[in-house]
Amino acid sequence: MLLLEANQIEKYYGDRLILSVPTFKVYQGDRIGLVGRNGSGKTTLLEILARRLTPDRGQVRHYCPLAYIRQFSAEEITADRRLLEELALSNKVNQPTYSGGELTRIRIANALSYEPVLLLADEPGANLDHTGIRLLKEKLRSLESFILVSHDRTLLDELCNKIVEIQEATLTWYEGNFTAYLLQKDRELEEQRRAYENYVQEKRRLEATIRERMQKSSTMQKPPRRMGPSEARLHKAKGRAKQEKVHRAAKTLQTRLEQLEAVPRPQKSPEVKVDLSLTDPPENPILLRVHNLTFGYGPKVLVQGASFHIPRGSKTALWGANGTGKTTLLNLLFSGTHERIFWVPKAKLGYLHQGFENLDPRKSVLENVMESSVQTETVARTILARLLLRGDEVHKPVAVLSGGEKVKVSLAKLCVSSANVLLLDEPTNYLDLASRQAVEGVLQDYPGTVLFVSHDQAFVNAVATQLLIFEKGTIRPFMGNLEALKNKEEKGPDQGLTEMIRKMRLAELSQRLAEPGADKAALEAEWERIIKQLD
């Protein structure tokens, strides 16, 4: 049964063609994963299919009840009690504020309360913890038909039976889940690589043959020495005829060279070198000390008696379930006004908010990034290129960017600012897989200190050098990433004893560093020595 039909869809932003879709049909049983680079038009297509955005050309018809989980919508709770209980929201109805994950669950519950035959879902896993992702999977499995935009490969693999890729305004359909799609794409990329190599070889062969023919032609009319005038004239006449023949052959080769279809060379990510000295970075080995911190909102206490420290140059992931206080802690650290939070004087903080508050939608990508930059425009452009924003894309106004593109612009702006400590709230939200890997690379190479919230295990393992684990109303520091934490938890009681003793000593040093009158120089020296031993 046909559920949705779109025909002759075209959508422009200015003079740029975003979408050109001759036909798009969704049948009962279709579980479609919609993929593509950030800014390729995924959200635009969903908005058109949901009839919330009017295309410049074409029409959309619905043949069934349809619901839409939008990416950034701010919604009141309208779902029934059953759905609220299933999505662990029933005890949060009267909260004054909600975490990013809780807002996502509200959007899911509201959409499913309509009991749709077809669901359109734009990044429904954004900000969700592992429990939230599990609940989302259960809900999507209960639906027979949906169109899903997600950067979560697991969702696309486990739930989808078709993948639609948007690239350069056009749609390409692939049968199977995301893994099947990647296998087909790998074959296409291998064919493109071979085509590029064949193009380079043929171009070099034609250029070498043309040079050889022209060199041969230049010597054809020269008569040998001791040849009489009449013989020389005859020789030159024959030489001219041969020369014209060679010229014609060379011209034919030149035409073939000019008509040879160019194959683009595979792009490599440029190296990024941020000069952190321009931010007047602190030399202290410990940039932040938190001692016996308790916080929450209203009468609700989220964390009680937390103590930890942040080393210079570390990449620290705040890890825990939705609503445990991760974003609240980032806000407290950024404000710097709490009496239990101690930053060193030279620490300069930059904050990537979930709502992109640091961007001016009226200005271009490059204008936004350079607005507060202490780095050169070359460095800024290099970082943008590393984040897959290249060429003319840097002149696009921020207002027309996708959510993933805004994340990348926000991050680039922070990297070239005077900040030497970055606070990032869900930096992988709305990013496609290629963009997520690009952000990983930029943060790995960033010479400053980073604290970030993320529920993406692969991303945390790739970037984090230490964890702040939110559990049971406390914060537990851990030196290492999630994989190291898992390995430690799997060790027997007699294994890793020396490592455990050293980390216990680090925890003790962290407490003592926060005490008034402590010999900070001696304590920090011992702390650095233990870190080297652990490394």
Side-chain angles (χ1 to χ4, degrees):
M1 183 175 74
L2 184 62
L3 305 181
L4 179 148
E5 181 180 15
N7 291 302
Q8 304 302 321
I9 300 297
E10 288 187 359
K11 182 62 182 176
Y12 289 83
Y13 285 137
D15 59 355
R16 180 188 173 206
L17 178 64
I18 300 297
L19 288 171
S20 177
V21 184
T23 183
F24 188 101
K25 295 181 179 181
V26 182
Y27 292 90
Q28 188 174 0
D30 283 348
R31 295 178 156 202
I32 298 169
L34 188 60
V35 302
R37 277 186 55 184
N38 292 129
S40 59
K42 301 185 295 294
T43 295
T44 300
L45 179 59
L46 284 191
E47 291 279 310
I48 290 172
L49 295 179
R51 296 200 298 221
R52 287 179 172 269
L53 178 65
T54 303
D56 296 309
R57 182 169 177 255
Q59 57 185 354
V60 177
R61 293 189 178 94
H62 296 171
Y63 302 109
C64 70
L66 179 147
Y68 181 21
I69 301 173
R70 303 182 74 194
Q71 193 176 132
F72 296 115
S73 60
E75 302 177 17
E76 302 267 337
I77 295 177
T78 60
D80 59 41
R81 179 168 293 277
R82 176 185 60 83
L83 275 169
L84 294 178
E85 289 177 355
E86 290 174 357
L87 289 166
L89 289 169
S90 56
N91 63 339
K92 301 180 182 294
V93 173
N94 296 317
Q95 279 186 190
T97 60
Y98 296 97
S99 70
E102 288 167 341
L103 289 172
T104 299
R105 292 193 197 197
I106 290 170
R107 288 193 282 268
I108 294 169
N110 288 346
L112 294 181
S113 66
Y114 293 102
E115 298 184 352
V117 175
L118 175 63
L119 175 70
L120 309 184
D122 194 359
E123 298 287 5
N127 301 311
L128 291 182
D129 56 18
H130 299 299
T131 301
I133 291 292
R134 176 179 58 78
L135 294 171
L136 173 63
K137 286 180 184 178
E138 290 174 2
K139 291 301 175 187
L140 290 177
R141 282 196 184 98
S142 69
L143 297 174
E144 191 174 8
S145 310
F146 57 75
I147 304 174
L148 170 66
V149 173
S150 177
H151 68 266
D152 188 326
R153 174 172 173 166
T154 304
L155 281 178
L156 297 170
D157 259 344
E158 293 183 11
L159 301 172
C160 296
N161 54 29
K162 292 181 180 179
I163 299 294
V164 176
E165 180 189 55
I166 303 181
Q167 188 173 28
E168 296 180 356
T170 61
L171 272 56
T172 306
W173 291 71
Y174 297 84
E175 293 293 329
N177 63 6
F178 190 74
T179 296
Y181 154 77
L182 287 181
L183 290 173
Q184 294 173 75
K185 289 293 291 183
D186 285 343
R187 287 195 292 269
E188 292 175 3
L189 289 173
E190 179 60 23
E191 291 173 2
Q192 290 175 7
R193 186 188 63 80
R194 285 199 299 267
Y196 174 74
E197 292 176 352
N198 292 337
Y199 161 73
V200 171
Q201 291 176 2
E202 179 65 6
K203 182 180 178 183
R204 288 174 179 170
R205 187 190 69 81
L206 289 172
E207 289 173 340
T209 305
I210 291 170
R211 284 195 302 271
E212 180 184 343
R213 296 287 177 91
M214 296 307 292
Q215 289 171 358
K216 183 178 179 182
S217 170
S218 64
T219 62
M220 280 183 173
Q221 293 189 45
K222 293 181 179 179
R225 291 182 178 180
R226 300 178 181 175
M227 181 178 283
S230 58
E231 290 178 311
R233 283 194 297 273
L234 182 61
H235 179 83
K236 286 183 179 180
K238 290 180 179 179
R240 279 195 297 272
K242 290 181 180 179
Q243 193 177 49
E244 289 174 3
K245 186 176 180 180
V246 170
H247 279 168
R248 285 196 298 272
K251 189 174 181 180
T252 300
L253 290 171
Q254 184 64 39
T255 301
R256 285 177 57 187
L257 178 61
E258 292 169 356
Q259 293 177 346
L260 190 64
E261 185 175 352
V263 178
R265 184 175 185 173
Q267 291 183 329
K268 292 183 179 180
S269 294
E271 292 185 4
V272 58
K273 294 182 180 179
V274 173
D275 186 357
L276 200 68
S277 67
L278 298 175
T279 71
D280 190 23
E283 297 179 0
N284 313 61
I286 307 295
L287 298 193
L288 168 68
R289 298 182 184 88
V290 174
H291 179 63
N292 198 26
L293 175 66
T294 297
F295 64 88
Y297 48 83
K300 183 173 182 178
V301 175
L302 295 173
V303 170
Q304 184 150 9
S307 296
F308 59 88
H309 64 270
I310 300 298
R312 183 186 67 225
S314 62
K315 311 293 191 293
T316 303
L318 281 61
W319 183 257
N322 290 137
T324 52
K326 301 183 298 298
T327 297
T328 304
L329 177 60
L330 276 192
N331 290 332
L332 285 173
L333 296 180
F334 184 63
S335 70
T337 57
H338 199 287
E339 60 183 5
R340 298 290 182 174
I341 296 173
F342 309 95
W343 287 103
V344 299
K346 284 190 174 183
K348 299 176 185 176
L349 310 184
Y351 199 162
L352 190 153
H353 297 269
Q354 291 184 16
F356 315 119
E357 287 87 345
N358 65 333
L359 299 182
D360 185 341
R362 298 165 298 178
K363 295 182 178 179
S364 72
V365 168
L366 189 59
E367 286 171 339
N368 267 281
V369 171
M370 292 302 298
E371 188 175 41
S372 56
S373 177
V374 297
Q375 309 288 335
T376 65
E377 185 175 318
T378 299
V379 171
R381 284 178 174 271
T382 302
I383 292 176
L384 288 168
R386 277 287 298 271
L387 294 170
L388 310 182
L389 292 170
R390 303 184 176 102
D392 291 340
E393 290 180 321
V394 303
H395 300 300
K396 289 165 59 176
V398 164
V400 305
L401 299 183
S402 69
E405 287 176 312
K406 289 177 182 175
V407 169
K408 292 186 281 189
V409 177
S410 296
L411 179 58
K413 183 172 183 176
L414 291 181
C415 285
V416 300
S417 72
S418 61
N420 47 50
V421 179
L422 305 185
L423 309 181
L424 313 176
D425 197 359
E426 296 287 1
T428 61
N429 270 359
Y430 320 116
L431 295 180
D432 57 49
L433 293 174
S435 298
R436 184 168 47 182
Q437 291 173 336
V439 169
E440 285 177 8
V442 168
L443 291 181
Q444 287 166 349
D445 293 340
Y446 178 70
T449 305
V450 181
L451 290 87
F452 65 98
V453 175
S454 178
H455 294 108
D456 187 325
Q457 291 188 57
F459 182 80
V460 172
N461 276 325
V463 176
T465 60
Q466 71 172 27
L467 306 174
L468 294 178
I469 304 167
F470 288 63
E471 56 184 6
K472 299 178 181 178
T474 64
I475 298 176
R476 175 165 62 98
F478 176 78
M479 296 297 297
N481 61 11
L482 291 171
E483 191 64 33
L485 177 64
K486 179 182 176 183
N487 291 338
K488 180 185 176 184
E489 291 174 344
E490 290 175 351
K491 287 181 180 179
D494 296 328
Q495 296 179 358
L497 184 59
T498 301
E499 179 182 349
M500 182 181 69
I501 292 171
R502 286 172 175 160
K503 289 185 176 180
M504 288 175 64
R505 178 57 179 163
L506 282 178
E508 181 184 350
L509 289 174
S510 177
Q511 296 280 354
R512 291 182 61 189
L513 279 164
E515 295 173 359
D519 185 353
K520 290 184 172 52
L523 294 173
E524 288 176 350
E526 183 181 357
W527 186 87
E528 286 196 292
R529 185 171 66 252
I530 295 174
I531 288 294
K532 289 179 181 177
Q533 291 170 343
L534 286 171
D535 288 342

